[in-house]
Amino acid sequence: MKLQAPFFTFNPKSYFYGEKLLELAQKADTLAKKYPHLTILITAPYADLANIASHTQHIIVTAQHMDGIDPGRGMGAVLPASIYQAGTRAVFLNHAEHPLQLTALIQSMKKAKELGIKTIVCANSLEEARSIALLKPDVLLCEPTELIGTGQASDESYIQETNHAIKEIDPDIYILQAAGISTPEDVYRTLKLGADGTGCTSGITEADLPSQMLEEMIESVQRVYEEGKDGR
C-alpha cells in the first residue's frame, strides 16, 4: 500500500478495539477505495492488527509502537517481524504517551526500514522536529504535547513554521499536523495550511456517531485534494 499525500490517520489509541474498531476500519477501507488518491491509516491495539489487516484492503494498518528488536529475547516487547506478519505496514514512534530515547528510536526506525514498515515519528516541539527530521522518517508528526486531546488545534504560525523547518531539512518527509483536531473544519484548515496529512483520536472516539465523523473528516481531505487538483 503506497503512502501518499494527502492522508488521514485515525488513531483510536485504547479507546476502541475489537468489533467496534473493525467496523470503523472497514468504513475507512470503503472510503479509501472510493478515494484512491488519498491515503488512510488506521492504528489499532496490537491484538487487533491481524484481524483488521485480514478484513481490509485499501487502508494502511498501523501499529501504535514497536521495539527495535529481532526475534529472540524480549519478553513483553513489540516484535517488528511479528506485527509485520500480522499485516502492519506503518508504525507510530516516540508518541507523547510512549516516548523513546534516541538510541531506541533509531533502532526501531532501522528495523522498520528493513521490513518495509513506514515510520511516523512524533515531535512535540520545533526543536525536536528539526532533530528528528535528520533521521529521515517517512512522516514527521508535529504535535505539541500540551494540545493532545484538548480539542485545541495548533495555531497557524506553529503549523507553518514547523512545515517550513522540516521541508528545509528534507523535502521528502511528509508532515502530519494533528494536534487538537476535532472537526472536519479542523481537518480542512490544517491541510490548507500546508500539512501533507492530519489525523484524529478523540474527535472521532467521543463523537455521537464515530463512523459519520470519520467519513466527514475524510471527505474534508478529499475536498482539499480536489481544490488542489483544480488549482484553487
Side-chain angles (χ1 to χ4, degrees):
M1 191 71 62
K2 184 179 179 182
L3 175 61
Q4 59 188 8
F7 59 89
F8 183 83
T9 301
F10 172 42
N11 179 22
K13 299 182 180 175
S14 296
Y15 290 99
F16 290 168
Y17 57 91
E19 287 302 312
K20 188 169 187 177
L21 180 53
L22 177 60
E23 288 174 9
L24 284 169
Q26 290 177 316
K27 176 70 172 182
D29 198 56
T30 299
L31 292 166
K33 182 178 181 181
K34 181 178 179 181
Y35 305 128
H37 39 268
L38 309 183
T39 304
I40 302 174
L41 303 96
I42 305 291
T43 82
Y46 309 120
D48 291 296
L49 291 168
N51 189 39
I52 289 174
S54 66
H55 288 90
T56 58
Q57 292 181 295
H58 307 285
I59 61 172
I60 296 180
V61 177
T62 306
Q64 297 176 2
H65 168 76
M66 73 178 203
D67 298 294
I69 61 172
D70 292 313
R73 297 185 64 175
M75 179 70 173
V78 181
L79 177 63
S82 175
I83 61 171
Y84 181 85
Q85 184 170 300
T88 296
R89 294 298 179 266
V91 63
F92 272 80
L93 296 170
N94 198 45
H95 191 275
E97 296 178 20
H98 206 312
L100 293 172
Q101 295 292 329
L102 181 60
T103 301
L105 175 59
I106 291 171
Q107 189 62 26
S108 290
M109 292 178 69
K110 179 183 176 184
K111 296 308 301 181
K113 186 174 183 179
E114 288 175 5
L115 290 166
I117 297 175
K118 299 295 184 183
T119 52
I120 304 165
V121 183
C122 307
N124 67 12
S125 68
L126 177 60
E127 293 74 21
E128 193 172 52
R130 285 195 177 107
S131 298
I132 291 174
L134 297 173
L135 302 178
K136 298 186 177 298
D138 296 293
V139 179
L140 213 165
L141 168 55
C142 302
E143 189 172 53
T145 303
E146 65 271 16
L147 296 183
I148 295 174
T150 65
Q152 177 185 344
S154 298
D155 62 36
E156 182 174 336
S157 62
Y158 176 86
I159 291 174
Q160 293 183 334
E161 189 175 8
T162 50
N163 288 352
H164 176 75
I166 294 163
K167 293 295 187 181
E168 196 172 44
I169 293 170
D170 189 341
D172 293 330
I173 295 174
Y174 283 136
I175 300 171
L176 173 58
Q177 299 274 5
I181 300 296
S182 57
T183 67
E185 291 72 28
D186 289 338
V187 169
Y188 179 82
R189 167 184 166 274
T190 300
L191 293 176
K192 292 297 281 188
L193 285 172
D196 297 302
T198 189
C200 185
T201 296
S202 58
I204 294 172
T205 62
E206 300 299 316
D208 292 335
L209 297 170
S211 179
Q212 181 178 323
M213 180 61 75
L214 175 67
E215 182 169 5
E216 289 177 2
M217 287 186 172
I218 291 170
E219 286 176 346
S220 286
V221 182
Q222 166 68 11
R223 179 182 164 201
V224 172
Y225 170 80
E226 289 178 348
E227 289 178 359
K229 184 176 63 174
D230 295 339
R232 285 181 277 171

